């Protein structure tokens, strides 16, 4: 990809990039290794850094080209103090030239009316089809917060019931084959098939290593009941992946899994766990809300295209 006069290809280290992302309140999908993971999934990844009005902007731009079309995606948004927005269109136009292109920004910055206006003034619009709910639950863990005491009565009751009536062994030692099996069982049982291949989750666990905290649950016969993991960046962590087998659902294993994960994060000095809310999985959303964390709306998804005809179809390509 060609450089514009303002944006430059990033040439620093992974550690320096991640530090910039974290210091600007970025999201884990803006991390260097996340970009490397997307390369393995067929995206062309370009890391850019630029100075605009004495402010630093950086972005991890994902691109795919098919025939005469370009599709661009910026997960997490442009890293800056501008709600995930950034002056990226000039660079995009240099790449696409006279081709049809579509770009989506999925900003994980907190919603702000000024941010919404900023996108609109620069001709960005809401997608015809949105993937995410653009809402999170923030569970605070700092200062030895008693997060279980703040949880709803139902969460505490189900946690106690699950532990008292079942033998559940919780461990950080996770077997990749067990995760794959649990994911497959969950999808068949719920008749909900994930957009992402469970094997990519295993690749993610291997790639992020110690940045991921993963808790697995087994019964007394060593049957897999479920797994939940969180990815830590600085003093924040994101709910990264969870799967429960039908046997685990019968034992309400989701409650002890979440409890153990929160405990582990708190012990490691994490200040907060961020739980994205699902747009379609109502049960999962209700479960997370029972922690009585702070619900926040995010800036969410914004799109731009030089072809209104292909805007909707291009939107469906992104996930």
């Amino acid at each position: 990809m060609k450089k514009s006069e303002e944006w430059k290809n990033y040439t620093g280290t992974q550690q320096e990039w991640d530090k910039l992302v974290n210091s600007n309140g970025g999201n884990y999908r803006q991390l260097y290794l996340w970009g490397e993971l997307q390369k393995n999934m067929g995206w062309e990844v370009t890391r850019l850094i630029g100075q605009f009005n004495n402010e630093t902007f950086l972005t991890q731009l994902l691109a795919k080209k098919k025939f005469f079309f370009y599709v661009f995606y910026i997960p997490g948004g442009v890293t800056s103090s501008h709600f995930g927005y950034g002056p990226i269109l000039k660079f995009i136009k240099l790449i696409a030239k006279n081709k049809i292109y579509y770009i989506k920004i999925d900003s994980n910055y907190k919603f702000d009316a000024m941010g919404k206006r900023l996108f609109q003034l620069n001709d960005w619009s809401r997608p015809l089809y949105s993937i995410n709910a653009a809402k999170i639950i923030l569970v605070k863990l700092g200062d030895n917060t008693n997060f279980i005491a703040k949880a709803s009565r139902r969460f505490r009751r189900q946690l106690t019931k699950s532990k008292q009536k079942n033998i559940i062994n919780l461990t950080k030692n996770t077997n990749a084959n067990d995760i794959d099996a649990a994911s497959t069982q969950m999808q068949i049982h719920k008749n909900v098939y994930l957009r992402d291949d469970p094997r990519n989750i295993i690749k993610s666990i291997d790639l992020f290593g110690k940045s991921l905290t993963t808790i697995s649950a087994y019964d007394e016969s060593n049957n897999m009941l479920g797994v939940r993991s969180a990815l830590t960046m600085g003093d924040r962590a994101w709910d990264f992946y969870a799967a429960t087998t039908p046997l685990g659902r019968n034992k309400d294993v989701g409650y002890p899994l979440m409890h153990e994960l929160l405990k582990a994060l708190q012990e490691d000095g994490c200040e907060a766990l961020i739980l994205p809310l699902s747009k379609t999985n109502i049960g999962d959303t209700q479960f997370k809300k029972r922690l009585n964390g702070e619900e926040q709306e995010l800036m969410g998804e914004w799109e731009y295209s030089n072809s209104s005809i292909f805007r909707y179809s291009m939107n469906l390509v992104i996930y």
Side-chain angles (χ1 to χ4, degrees):
M1 290 186 178
K2 295 182 179 179
K3 299 178 183 179
S4 73
E5 295 178 359
E6 297 157 320
W7 288 100
K8 295 181 180 179
N9 285 308
Y10 177 77
T11 58
T13 66
Q14 173 191 327
Q15 290 74 20
E16 291 168 340
W17 176 271
D18 291 347
K19 185 176 180 180
L20 283 169
V21 169
N22 190 42
S23 64
N24 282 281
N27 177 267
Y28 72 89
R29 293 183 300 162
Q30 298 160 309
L31 292 175
Y32 195 100
L33 283 180
W34 184 262
E36 294 301 292
L37 184 65
Q38 304 317 302
K39 283 184 182 180
N40 296 331
M41 296 170 65
W43 289 96
E44 179 185 348
V45 178
T46 303
R47 297 180 185 89
L48 301 167
I49 187 166
Q51 290 284 333
F52 303 92
N53 297 322
N54 297 318
E55 288 190 55
T56 299
F57 291 76
L58 63 153
T59 187
Q60 194 158 238
L61 181 67
L62 278 56
K64 285 185 178 180
K65 181 183 177 183
K66 287 192 176 182
F67 305 112
F68 303 104
F69 310 111
Y70 264 110
V71 176
F72 300 96
Y73 182 38
I74 303 179
V78 177
T79 304
S80 68
S81 58
H82 292 266
F83 321 105
Y85 170 83
I88 195 67
L89 287 180
K90 184 177 179 180
F91 186 85
I92 296 292
K93 291 173 182 177
L94 284 175
I95 300 169
K97 296 181 180 178
N98 60 345
K99 294 182 175 63
I100 293 174
Y101 64 88
Y102 173 92
I103 177 170
K104 175 182 277 189
I105 288 179
D106 185 7
S107 173
N108 281 94
Y109 288 86
K110 190 175 180 180
F111 179 83
D112 187 283
M114 289 179 59
K116 178 181 178 181
R117 185 64 176 155
L118 182 62
F119 275 100
Q120 291 173 332
L121 287 173
N122 287 279
D123 298 323
W124 291 77
S125 59
R126 290 294 192 185
L128 299 173
Y129 172 81
S130 60
I131 299 169
N132 303 315
K135 291 181 180 179
I136 62 167
I137 296 292
L138 182 73
V139 181
K140 295 180 180 179
L141 302 172
D143 300 322
N144 294 316
T145 299
N146 189 341
F147 50 84
I148 290 300
K150 291 186 176 182
S152 70
R153 181 180 298 177
R154 179 171 179 180
F155 189 99
R156 298 196 305 271
R157 183 177 66 246
Q158 294 301 109
L159 174 62
T160 301
K161 179 181 176 181
S162 178
K163 287 184 173 182
Q164 288 179 347
K165 289 193 173 184
N166 306 291
I167 297 175
I168 298 175
N169 300 314
L170 299 164
T171 177
K172 287 187 177 181
N173 298 320
T174 303
N175 183 288
N177 291 330
D178 287 343
I179 294 177
D180 194 3
S183 301
T184 302
Q185 289 183 52
M186 178 187 71
Q187 292 181 70
I188 293 173
H189 180 74
K190 290 187 174 182
N191 197 28
V192 175
Y193 293 88
L194 304 178
R195 293 188 300 269
D196 201 7
D197 188 328
R199 286 172 293 185
N200 289 327
I201 300 300
I202 297 168
K203 291 177 183 177
S204 302
I205 291 173
D206 292 338
L207 184 66
F208 283 104
K210 293 182 180 179
S211 296
L212 269 177
T213 301
T214 302
I215 307 295
S216 297
Y218 297 86
D219 67 9
E220 65 273 23
S221 300
N222 207 35
N223 294 309
M224 181 66 162
L225 300 177
V227 61
R228 190 164 214 116
S229 64
L231 177 62
T232 301
M233 183 174 75
D235 59 2
R236 297 172 296 159
W238 279 263
D239 191 39
F240 191 71
Y241 186 69
T244 305
T245 67
L247 182 60
R249 285 175 61 84
N250 291 337
K251 297 177 182 290
D252 276 334
V253 75
Y255 291 91
L257 273 174
M258 178 65 81
H259 180 227
E260 194 68 18
L261 179 63
L262 288 167
K263 278 182 14 183
L265 292 172
Q266 190 174 60
E267 289 169 2
D268 289 341
C270 188
E271 295 288 324
L273 174 63
I274 298 167
L275 298 160
L277 297 183
S278 172
K279 185 179 178 182
T280 56
N281 192 335
I282 304 301
D284 181 68
T285 293
Q286 291 175 341
F287 169 74
K288 291 174 179 177
K289 286 186 174 183
R290 289 175 195 137
L291 284 165
N292 282 344
E294 178 185 341
E295 186 170 344
Q296 295 182 0
E297 183 178 358
L298 306 179
M299 288 302 303
E301 299 169 50
W302 295 86
E303 65 179 5
Y304 185 98
S305 177
N306 61 351
S307 171
S308 58
I309 297 175
F310 289 97
R311 177 174 292 185
Y312 184 70
S313 59
M314 290 296 102
N315 186 69
L316 294 178
V317 174
I318 304 294
Y319 67 92

